[in-house]
Amino acid sequence: MDKIIDLGTYIEKGINALESHLSFLWSAIDDGISWTVESMNDGLLAIPFWIIITLIALLGYYLSAGKKSFTREGFKKELALPASPFWVLS
């Protein structure tokens, strides 16, 4: 089957043109992404792991319990045991 339009060649030429004419833009984007990743890495390594685990657990509790999660009613709703738990063999 003959190629009617050699699409791969045109795409390759377009990408090469973007690389040669907008190299300053790509390097600026690369520097910005590198800075963001390094800053996030430094920030996460500065916090002890047990604080991060506690914050994630509290966030999960808040998302499951709703707006009243840290009130007395919220704790009663989320932490209350059923009247007959399945682990009691009576």
Side-chain angles (χ1 to χ4, degrees):
M1 183 172 172
D2 294 328
K3 293 182 182 178
I4 298 172
I5 299 175
D6 193 12
L7 192 59
T9 304
Y10 293 127
I11 291 174
E12 183 178 359
K13 287 180 182 179
I15 289 173
N16 289 338
L18 286 174
E19 285 180 350
S20 64
H21 296 296
L22 297 175
S23 62
F24 65 93
L25 178 65
W26 307 130
S27 64
I29 291 172
D30 181 41
D31 291 342
I33 291 172
S34 297
W35 177 82
T36 302
V37 169
E38 289 173 6
S39 298
M40 289 174 61
N41 192 18
D42 293 340
L44 288 173
L45 287 175
I47 302 170
F49 73 94
W50 55 272
I51 292 177
I52 293 175
I53 292 173
T54 304
L55 290 175
I56 291 173
L58 289 173
L59 176 66
Y61 172 73
Y62 175 76
L63 291 175
S64 71
K67 290 183 179 179
K68 295 184 178 182
S69 58
F70 293 106
T71 62
R72 182 174 290 172
E73 293 83 22
F75 283 125
K76 285 180 183 177
K77 182 179 112 177
E78 287 295 319
L79 300 178
L81 294 175
S84 177
F86 65 88
W87 57 82
V88 175
L89 299 174
S90 59

